[in-house]
Amino acid sequence: MLNKELMDKAKRENISLFLDRFKSQQPQCPFGLSGACCKNCFAGPCRIIPGKEERGICGANQDVIAARNLLRAAVAGATCHSDHAREVVLTLLKIGEGKTSAYKIKDENKLRILAKKLKIKSSGSIKKIAKLVALEALEDFRRQEGLYHKKEGNYLNWLKITALPERIKVWKKLGILPINSDLETSHALHQTTMGNDADPNNLLLSVLRMGLVDGYSGLHLATDIQDIIFGTPSLVKSKTDLGTLKEDHVNIVVHGHVPILSQKIVEWSRKLNNEAKKVGAKGINVVGMCCSGIEVLMRLGIPMAGHVLQQELAIVTGVADAVVVDIQCIYPSLQDISSCYHTKLISTIDYVRFPKAEHISFTIEDANKSAKQIIKEALKAYKKRDKSKILIPKDKCEMYGGFSVETIIDALSKLNKNNPLKVLVDAIKKGDILGVVAIVGCRNPKVKDDFHEKLTEILIKNNILVVGTGCWAYAAAQTGLMTPEASKKAGLKLRSFLEKVGKANGLESLPPCLHMGSCVDNSRVGNLVNALANYMKIPIYKLPIVASAPEYMTEKAVAIAVWALSLGVTTHINPVPPVTSSKLVTKVLTRDLENMVGSKILLGNTPEESARVIIKTIKEKRNS
Ligand code: BF8
Ligand code: SF4
């Protein structure tokens, strides 16, 4: 059980945690669970009641309602990632225009490569190139004319420079190439309102289009620009779990998703470390929560304290002096829980506020000032700790992270300098690696019994290399699966491959689970898949690769899943998505999609059953 000591402590202290509230919410509404509910206008809400009334007041049937609901979820998810990407693009623009000295360009090489792909002349100062790249990126938020207007080449720049030509052809044929991120999310919301699109198939095409918006003007764009500004991750050793909080240190938890803020806090915590001594602490310990935590792990080696379901427990330790949040996956419950302790909850982004938190507005221009102010608040809070309320669990695990595609290629190059990918492809072809599964996404209180951990263990035992991101990475790392020793849990063939690559890189073995980053870094998984398809000269849907989101919870996860599907990656998801009231939508997702994009959704509600369907799919792909 999740940090049991802390769960028990919360109970003793009468603190309500997510699981308590989950229990109070039972039973959850069957209409909502099956997608048979619509509240898209104020004549509603309407429900589909089989045998009684199979249409809403306006006449919308279950197929339309389920498809509209799914599209709305995908739109919401895509806006999260695109907004995130826009923030980092604007940072790059400000660097390019010389409007901020708080941020610099760390990976010039990546900037130049992107500039070349965008057909920008890469002569001139690095700042000038940065500005031009940022302006091309902003085009993905503002070009107005596209395919509908017979402007053939007018679709997302980031899709154009990233996706494989074979895919672009497929998407073009389906008419789903997005023109600009904001335009498409706006269209899709419009499309789902009362009295608009009543064609479930057309709505489902928009769901796929939303996957492309998410994948390119969200995930890929965010990762690329973050790598340029903060550096492309390389192999890093660190620790994970709530035992990384330290009693004798000022603890700052950085929580959310955008590294613009968390990187600065780490930077200033190092500069101001001595200030901690003035308040009686040994230093400042910054730890990460959710994807902000992963961003600072990947580039700076900061410990990953906890995933989405551990955010409340971090405060229950009684040593979280400041919890600093930016955007996404921040439980509003942190307000009440922090008020039971000395913890200072600090919000930083103007459109994500919590009435009981202190708001320190974070801007690119004033980043240094805000980061210093945040650290001062943490130092002040440290002095108010109540010693009788402290309980730091022993849970702490070593782990390796930093597996960008560049890191993976670099590791493989130690075995074949001129053709590193051949090492991986040969292992796949020979069957030393049966297949690759990318496990992504959240932890969901609905999903019981360590689903992530069990599924991952079964897969590696079956010689499947597991790569992944997001909260899965916490689950895997906290079970010790991101260490070289964990290769002993892998099937013999996979183990010997991992040991061979590991030894060539000065490690006992590569871990059987490769941490590829935060949720926007699913783009890295996309790049790896592209590289394999390119090398093997086959479309992605023929590769023995499956994605899985075994505990998906957020709308972002829906957007990522539909992007994976649009790439041709068959994707396992759990819990069952709320579309089962519609036979048509269920059939398209689990079957017909294969004829459109080469992939489909797999279901499986236990780790064993999920592993079975995933392995079956991988074997079918190998034999086809
Ligand atoms: O983007 S995996 S709970 S933390 S949504 Fe959120 Fe899900 Fe965790 Fe990061 Ni991703
Ligand atoms: Fe009911 Fe139609 Fe309004 Fe939805 S859009 S709430 S189905 S009347």
Side-chain angles (χ1 to χ4, degrees):
M1 193 197 206
L2 203 70
N3 308 114
K4 185 167 182 320
E5 285 169 276
L6 287 173
M7 307 276 279
D8 293 344
K9 177 175 187 270
K11 194 172 241 161
R12 286 195 303 277
E13 293 176 351
N14 229 355
I15 287 169
S16 140
L17 296 176
F18 68 93
L19 261 187
D20 304 305
R21 297 186 299 273
F22 176 73
K23 280 181 198 145
S24 319
Q25 287 292 340
Q26 301 310 311
Q28 286 173 302
C29 171
F31 294 101
L33 285 170
S34 65
C37 167
C38 177
K39 49 185 178 58
N40 293 7
C41 88
F42 300 96
C46 297
R47 296 167 302 174
I48 299 299
I49 309 169
K52 186 178 169 208
E53 180 51 77
E54 302 197 349
R55 281 165 200 274
I57 295 163
C58 66
N61 65 19
Q62 62 212 37
D63 300 329
V64 172
I65 291 176
R68 282 198 309 214
N69 289 345
L70 184 66
L71 180 52
R72 284 200 161 199
V75 172
T79 60
C80 291
H81 291 138
S82 299
D83 247 5
H84 174 157
R86 182 184 5 233
E87 290 290 331
V88 289
V89 170
L90 290 174
T91 309
L92 185 69
L93 183 63
K94 284 180 183 156
I95 298 171
E97 290 176 341
K99 288 186 180 157
T100 177
S101 55
Y103 297 95
K104 304 226 155 30
I105 290 172
K106 188 96 188 271
D107 193 339
E108 280 194 24
N109 185 39
K110 196 164 236 179
L111 178 64
R112 288 187 195 278
I113 292 173
L114 277 172
K116 201 167 164 202
K117 285 187 187 167
L118 290 161
K119 301 197 169 57
I120 292 168
K121 284 205 187 100
S122 50
S123 56
S125 77
I126 201 73
K127 278 195 175 172
K128 192 173 159 209
I129 299 170
K131 181 180 169 185
L132 293 173
V133 167
L135 289 174
E136 287 298 327
L138 286 178
E139 272 306 297
D140 285 352
F141 295 90
R142 59 188 175 203
R143 101 175 40 75
Q144 291 300 314
E145 292 192 313
L147 284 182
Y148 316 147
H149 312 88
K150 309 278 178 247
K151 295 241 172 163
E152 286 278 314
N154 271 11
Y155 50 87
L156 299 177
N157 279 333
W158 247 255
L159 186 152
K160 212 178 282 178
I161 63 169
T162 312
L164 296 177
E166 181 270 344
R167 279 293 96 178
I168 297 180
K169 238 194 219 161
V170 170
W171 300 331
K172 191 170 175 186
K173 204 165 150 213
L174 291 172
I176 59 170
L177 285 169
I179 299 171
N180 98 41
S181 174
D182 292 345
L183 175 148
E184 300 297 358
T185 48
S186 171
H187 262 344
L189 265 188
H190 179 181
Q191 194 181 357
T192 57
T193 55
M194 197 286 290
N196 272 303
D197 199 352
D199 178 350
N201 288 309
N202 199 40
L203 285 157
L204 290 172
L205 281 174
S206 289
V207 171
L208 283 181
R209 187 182 295 114
M210 225 29 66
L212 302 184
V213 169
D214 191 69
Y216 298 101
S217 56
L219 312 180
H220 273 288
L221 184 55
T223 302
D224 283 344
I225 307 298
Q226 285 172 186
D227 281 357
I228 288 170
I229 301 174
F230 301 115
T232 301
S234 53
L235 188 67
V236 68
K237 190 177 178 188
S238 189
K239 293 198 166 63
T240 182
D241 218 330
L242 294 176
T244 55
L245 289 159
K246 295 181 181 167
E247 184 158 2
D248 52 8
H249 277 64
V250 175
N251 293 300
I252 301 178
V253 182
V254 289
H255 179 14
H257 285 76
V258 193
I260 307 173
L261 163 71
S262 40
Q263 285 264 146
K264 270 285 145 196
I265 290 178
V266 176
E267 183 187 319
W268 279 99
S269 73
R270 289 172 179 171
K271 288 184 188 158
L272 296 174
N273 198 42
N274 280 336
E275 297 292 308
K277 296 187 178 132
K278 293 184 192 156
V279 296
K282 283 194 176 152
I284 302 174
N285 180 36
V286 181
V287 297
M289 185 69 55
C290 287
C291 287
S292 281
I294 293 178
E295 298 285 358
V296 285
L297 161 91
M298 294 286 281
R299 299 191 180 87
L300 302 167
I302 295 299
M304 308 196 305
H307 52 69
V308 68
L309 296 185
Q310 289 172 300
Q311 56 184 300
E312 297 176 326
L313 295 171
I315 300 177
V316 176
T317 60
V319 293
D321 301 302
V323 175
V324 187
V325 302
D326 52 80
I327 53 171
Q328 304 166 16
C329 301
I330 304 148
Y331 275 7
S333 65
L334 298 190
Q335 301 173 89
D336 289 335
I337 301 179
S338 58
S339 71
C340 300
Y341 296 88
H342 72 294
T343 306
K344 189 92 183 172
L345 180 63
I346 301 171
S347 59
T348 53
I349 304 293
D350 288 349
Y351 59 88
V352 181
R353 298 227 187 187
F354 303 85
K356 292 186 193 165
E358 168 149 355
H359 188 71
I360 298 179
S361 189
F362 193 86
T363 60
I364 306 302
E365 291 81 355
D366 277 339
N368 289 323
K369 198 172 139 215
S370 327
K372 279 190 273 185
Q373 197 187 341
I374 286 167
I375 288 170
K376 280 195 183 126
E377 290 297 333
L379 294 168
K380 264 197 257 166
Y382 173 84
K383 290 196 269 188
K384 295 185 191 152
R385 270 194 202 171
D386 178 347
K387 288 220 162 80
S388 69
K389 283 192 168 177
I390 295 177
L391 193 158
I392 302 177
K394 293 198 180 58
D395 310 317
K396 186 158 62 173
C397 215
E398 289 214 329
M399 60 167 296
Y400 281 84
F403 287 97
S404 56
V405 174
E406 290 83 345
T407 308
I408 296 172
I409 300 284
D410 185 56
L412 297 171
S413 73
K414 305 285 164 37
L415 290 169
N416 186 339
K417 194 164 172 270
N418 297 325
N419 203 351
L421 219 47
K422 187 171 185 298
V423 180
L424 185 59
V425 171
D426 285 352
I428 293 173
K429 281 188 180 161
K430 251 177 80 190
D432 289 347
I433 297 176
L434 185 70
V436 180
V437 173
I439 313 190
V440 300
C442 329
R443 300 226 77 158
N444 187 331
K446 264 186 196 169
V447 180
K448 302 279 177 302
D449 297 335
D450 299 335
F451 204 121
H452 271 308
E453 294 84 339
K454 286 183 186 159
L455 173 61
T456 308
E457 288 194 355
I458 302 174
L459 293 175
I460 62 171
K461 208 166 274 164
N462 280 279
N463 297 305
I464 289 170
L465 177 67
V466 179
V467 301
T469 59
C471 286
W472 162 79
Y474 283 92
Q478 292 177 3
T479 325
L481 293 172
M482 289 186 171
T483 58
E485 302 78 63
S487 65
K488 296 191 181 84
K489 293 189 173 181
L492 281 181
K493 288 179 172 181
L494 175 63
R495 180 178 169 181
S496 90
F497 171 80
L498 294 168
E499 286 177 353
K500 195 169 68 181
V501 183
K503 291 211 166 83
N505 285 276
L507 293 173
E508 185 193 319
S509 169
L510 270 193
C513 296
L514 303 185
H515 191 340
M516 294 193 75
S518 65
C519 282
V520 294
D521 290 337
N522 281 310
S523 59
R524 301 191 198 280
V525 182
N527 280 336
L528 183 64
V529 169
N530 277 356
L532 288 172
N534 221 0
Y535 186 95
M536 294 168 83
K537 295 194 174 48
I538 52 175
I540 291 168
Y541 62 83
K542 291 196 173 165
L543 292 170
I545 289 179
V546 170
S548 172
E551 300 195 30
Y552 83 95
M553 180 261 300
T554 62
E555 291 160 315
K556 289 182 284 176
V558 173
I560 295 172
V562 288
W563 170 61
L565 289 166
S566 70
L567 277 176
V569 179
T570 285
T571 301
H572 160 258
I573 54 171
N574 183 58
V576 177
V579 296
T580 48
S581 62
S582 163
K583 283 200 183 83
L584 182 144
V585 175
T586 308
K587 185 167 148 298
V588 170
L589 294 179
T590 56
R591 238 192 301 155
D592 302 354
L593 212 50
E594 210 157 18
N595 297 326
M596 295 160 70
V597 285
S599 63
K600 61 182 178 186
I601 279 184
L602 302 175
L603 298 173
N605 62 3
T606 64
E608 294 74 20
E609 173 59 10
S610 308
R612 192 188 67 73
V613 292
I614 289 171
I615 294 169
K616 182 169 169 266
T617 305
I618 284 179
K619 285 187 175 161
E620 283 166 5
K621 302 244 173 207
R622 291 187 69 89
N623 294 333
S624 69

